[in-house]
Amino acid sequence: MARQRRPVGGARVAVLFVVVALLAAALPGLVAQDLAGDRLALLALRDALDRGRLLPWNTADPTPCKWRGVLCSNQTGQGVPQRVVELRLPGKRLIGTIPLGTVGNLTALQALSLRHNGITGGIPADIGNCDQLTVVNLTRNQFAGAVPEGFFSLAVLRNVDLSRNRLAGGVSQEFNRLKQLDTLFLDNNDFAGALPPGFYLPSLSRFNVSFNAQLTGPVPASLAGMPASAFQGTALCGGPLLACPNSPGGEKKKRLSRWAIVGIIAGAALVLLLIVGLVACLRRRQVASAASAGRPTETAAAANVRETTTPITVTLARTDRDAVKQSHAPPLAPVMISEGKKLVFLGSAPDRPYDLETLLRASAEVLGKGQHGTTYRATLDGGEPVLAVKRLREVHLSENEFRHRATALGALHHGNLTRLRAYFYSKEEKLLVYDFVGAGSLSALLHDGSLEGRARLDFTARARIALAAARGVAFIHQGGAKSSHGNLKSSNIVVTATRDGAYVSDYGIAQVTGAAAPPPRRGAGYHAPEVTDARSVPQSADVYSFGVVVLELLSGRAPQHALPEGADGVDLPRWVRSVVQEEWTSEVFDAAIANEPRVEGEMMRLLQLGIECTEQRPDRRPTMAEVEARIERIVEDTCRKDDFSSTDGSRSVSA
């Protein structure tokens, strides 16, 4: 009997092996665990999406690590196999549907970018196998259907951009499982229904569901702090939008009777009368005090000084919303005005005279908070003029030395520099007053908005902004004080309202303060590697900083340490060089400009200039005069092509 059972058992084992083999061949979703499996998955993906064989992959190479758009982990060591960790194929004219067993088999993948293609069908259901993914960018394709269940198992995801597709269904509460998510863009899709009331992602800082017309209902409380633009083009309500019709606030408004309205008006009138009476009483006391002291009363704001017998305290108003949104600065403490101190104007007096107290009582908004102080936008009564006031944090100069250096800065007059109009110096406070120009910083334009917002900043506009900034810095180097800026970065470049020009701000601030600053972080951010003291920055270091700004303009990526603490950044010069050396230069460019027609050559020329400006050795960098001349030629060539393609020929070369 035993001899008869053995063949049967052997047959069962053989059948089992056959079944396993058939399953392995029939189910493409079986997970690959080595580089050879990654290679097969990539080839299957190419066969499905790259029918024109546009991807220059050398399939004869046994390893995919040298293929363009593919990045592998470090070489094999300590028993850890080499794997594909990044797949970036933006704008490669990929068409078709992603099959199972391709992306889902790249189980060590950390970054996936297939933006700006024509991929259809659903997001592959087996994407959940890629449990190390931190970045997924599928924007500007034609993905359809719902977000698959496996997507919500990607626990370490930080940045997700699924915008500008055809995704449908509801915005699932399963997104709550992605606790590390910092960015979630779902805009310009076909999502419908209500946002989950329990929607909560503790690390989320950027969110957008705009232009999903069928999204309805209230904005969840956890998203109420997002800008209204994040919900534009939907039927959502509440939060930063108008109150929902059935909200308690809305019901109360509807219940207000005629007598309640009359009572509110009467109460407001009574409060106004009390304020007027109090002001009149205080004014009479001031006049009486001045008469008893034998001094004339103050009759006009044209005087540059408001003398006082003792120091007074004036609080500069601010808008809390803008302070939180733009700079996260604390409330401005009261400004102390010592006796006999005044606002000193540099050059001609303003068209509309104002004194120190008028300035300090102006309504103001926090624009930014930096190493040397906080900057406010101050609007005087009547709406004019609008000024930028920089309150210096720490100044280690005597009043004479401060006046000398401020006067030198005030003498710099150029169309691409912010104009220093006045200063105030006392023991307690030091202020610099500039003309307010532009519509916002270049940093905010590039990094505070969505891809759609950056798309309105085309390459021509970016080149014009670079030219305007180059002209301002070159003037500081040669035509002005023959000094250096010292702190050049995108947050100190103010873009015009038309987004085709710019002003350079905050030049010479380190010299005006004279305060010791912590040494800049070397080899990262905007600082040249040779700079050790922010008070003594050579012109060649300005060129390096400008080169970083150029790379930032082209890539849309922020340098290290450039954004608020906790935000991502990259060593731009090093990153750009590594990408270019791998002959994958197109990956450098911001997706918003990557596929612009006719200007590929100009984009490459500006990129090359940015690389030259960020050379490690200062003697290998061009001068700002050379930089200005080269960018001017790039802008001229770009605009000439735009003129050729435009219907009205109205474009201008001026920046």
Side-chain angles (χ1 to χ4, degrees), residues 133 165 238 314 433 456 524 554 563 596 609:
L133 271 174
N165 282 286
V314 179
V433 182
R456 293 195 292 271
L554 292 174
L563 297 179
E596 284 194 27
L609 179 58

Side-chain angles (χ1 to χ4, degrees), residues 286 298 303-308 312 337 341-342 355 357:
Q286 181 184 13
E298 186 176 26
N304 293 337
V305 183
R306 183 185 188 279
E307 296 184 0
T308 56
I312 64 171
I337 305 175
K341 294 297 181 181
K342 63 180 180 179
D355 59 12
E357 185 178 356

Side-chain angles (χ1 to χ4, degrees), residues 131-150:
D131 57 6
Q132 298 182 47
L133 271 174
T134 61
V135 176
V136 173
N137 192 340
L138 305 179
T139 185
R140 291 179 180 267
N141 281 281
Q142 299 181 46
F143 286 104
V147 179
E149 178 64 27

Side-chain angles (χ1 to χ4, degrees), residues 319-617:
T319 302
D320 289 339
R321 173 181 57 81
D322 291 329
V324 172
K325 178 180 178 182
Q326 300 185 39
S327 70
H328 304 281
L332 180 66
V335 176
M336 301 300 298
I337 305 175
S338 299
E339 181 178 3
K341 294 297 181 181
K342 63 180 180 179
L343 194 64
V344 179
F345 290 93
L346 302 171
S348 59
D351 295 335
R352 180 191 171 189
Y354 56 89
D355 59 12
L356 180 62
E357 185 178 356
T358 303
L359 173 67
L360 295 179
R361 293 192 186 280
S363 61
E365 302 171 1
V366 177
L367 294 177
K369 183 179 181 183
Q371 175 179 306
H372 297 291
T374 304
T375 304
Y376 301 84
R377 170 179 172 170
T379 306
L380 303 187
D381 292 340
E384 291 184 359
V386 180
L387 305 166
V389 181
K390 189 172 190 70
R391 185 182 186 189
L392 299 176
R393 177 176 294 108
E394 188 177 3
V395 175
H396 292 183
L397 296 177
S398 66
E399 184 170 2
N400 286 337
E401 185 64 20
F402 184 90
R403 178 173 63 251
H404 173 74
R405 298 189 183 187
T407 302
L409 292 180
L412 291 176
H413 300 166
H414 188 272
N416 296 116
L417 296 179
T418 55
R419 180 80 177 273
L420 180 61
R421 290 291 187 178
Y423 72 85
F424 171 76
Y425 185 102
S426 71
K427 181 180 179 181
E428 301 86 0
E429 302 289 347
K430 288 85 179 173
L431 307 174
L432 297 176
V433 182
Y434 298 85
D435 287 339
F436 181 83
V437 294
S441 73
L442 177 60
S443 176
L445 199 60
L446 290 175
H447 309 306
D448 288 356
S450 64
L451 177 63
E452 182 183 358
R454 296 201 309 276
R456 293 195 292 271
L457 194 65
D458 61 11
F459 173 73
T460 303
R462 298 182 196 218
R464 289 173 183 250
I465 290 170
L467 176 57
R471 286 172 172 168
V473 179
F475 179 78
I476 295 173
H477 284 195
Q478 291 186 327
K482 292 183 171 59
S483 60
S484 60
H485 184 288
N487 191 28
L488 190 61
K489 52 187 177 181
S490 62
S491 59
N492 286 337
I493 296 176
V494 184
V495 179
T496 60
T498 55
R499 295 187 177 184
D500 60 358
Y503 304 89
V504 177
S505 66
D506 263 24
Y507 47 90
I509 293 297
Q511 288 75 20
V512 170
T513 62
R521 301 178 183 180
R522 303 184 66 179
Y526 299 94
H527 297 292
E530 70 271 14
V531 174
T532 58
D533 188 343
R535 295 170 296 179
S536 179
V537 177
Q539 293 183 354
S540 59
D542 273 355
V543 175
Y544 182 95
S545 301
F546 183 84
V548 177
V549 172
V550 168
L551 300 180
E552 185 178 3
L553 263 171
L554 292 174
S555 68
R557 302 185 69 166
Q560 281 182 316
H561 318 305
L563 297 179
E565 186 176 355
D568 287 336
V570 63
D571 186 341
L572 269 179
R574 178 179 296 180
W575 176 76
V576 168
R577 281 174 170 79
S578 67
V579 174
V580 172
Q581 287 171 1
E582 293 295 327
E583 299 183 353
W584 198 237
T585 305
S586 61
E587 182 67 15
V588 169
F589 297 109
D590 189 348
I593 62 172
N595 295 319
E596 284 194 27
R598 301 181 304 278
V599 294
E600 296 89 346
E602 287 69 28
M603 291 171 64
M604 291 299 301
R605 287 160 59 190
L606 190 57
L607 175 63
Q608 179 61 35
L609 179 58
I611 292 174
E612 292 177 25
C613 289
T614 53
E615 284 283 352
Q616 291 290 301
R617 286 180 50 178

Side-chain angles (χ1 to χ4, degrees), residues 54-76:
L54 300 176
L55 292 176
W57 288 357
N58 181 11
T59 55
D61 196 326
T63 171
C65 298
K66 296 181 180 179
W67 295 353
R68 293 186 181 180
V70 178
L71 179 67
C72 295
S73 57
N74 293 330
Q75 296 292 332
T76 304

